[in-house]
Amino acid sequence: MPTIPHLLLATTGLALATLASALPAQGSPPAQQEVARGKAVFARHCAACHGRGPGDDGSAHLPGTAALAARYQGSLPGALEERKDLDAETLLYFVRHGSGPMPMFRKTEVSDADIGSIAAYLAASAASVRK
Ligand code: HEC
């Protein structure tokens, strides 16, 4: 029959195993997770304006992508997912202040951590663009 010390040991072992499996999620998440998270945040808050267009009918109904393509005239891509120059600090500035027709986002909508994840996603997606 199980003695109390045995039960205690088993419980402690379980608690340690649980703690160990929970630890990686507390520090900075592994790069892949960060990218996946950024992709989801981008899809939810940014892609409606900054997706890779144009749409099915050929019209550029992506105001962000269209505005940036017009501004940079080919010196930089219109789609944010193809930009290699957007670090978290730059994104933070635009996301918190907005720009022209682009709205600003509050921390309760898009957190600083979300913006870091978007930066990781944009870097990964830009790196995978074939030139
Ligand atoms: C309602 C449409 C809309 C949404 C949503 C939107 N943007 Fe924008 N964004 C724009 C437009 C339009 C511009 C160009 C602004 C201008 O002409 O001043 C822009 C500009 C930017 C720029 C500046 C790039 C440059 O080179 O000047 C960044 C960075 C940016 N957006 C990031 C984001 C991110 C990240 C999100 C999601 C959190 C987002 N935007 C959501 C419309 C949008």
Side-chain angles (χ1 to χ4, degrees), residues 50-69:
H50 287 289
R52 285 186 250 218
D56 294 341
D57 60 357
S59 71
H61 53 73
L62 295 159
T65 305
L68 297 175

Side-chain angles (χ1 to χ4, degrees), residues 26-122:
Q26 288 180 340
S28 74
Q32 277 310 107
Q33 246 174 279
E34 182 89 19
V35 168
R37 196 169 166 274
K39 185 175 184 175
V41 179
F42 186 87
R44 174 145 185 227
H45 293 287
C46 321
C49 294
H50 287 289
R52 285 186 250 218
D56 294 341
D57 60 357
S59 71
H61 53 73
L62 295 159
T65 305
L68 297 175
R71 174 182 302 161
Y72 293 118
Q73 296 290 314
S75 63
L76 283 173
L80 297 184
E81 286 157 295
E82 297 176 9
R83 293 270 296 266
K84 297 187 172 157
D85 61 321
L86 295 172
D87 57 15
E89 205 183 327
T90 306
L91 291 174
L92 193 71
Y93 178 82
F94 283 101
V95 173
R96 290 284 173 254
H97 295 90
S99 175
M102 173 173 160
M104 55 156 296
F105 292 84
R106 292 171 208 284
K107 286 188 183 191
T108 46
E109 297 168 302
V110 178
S111 69
D112 288 358
D114 287 339
I115 294 173
S117 299
I118 294 173
Y121 167 60
L122 295 182

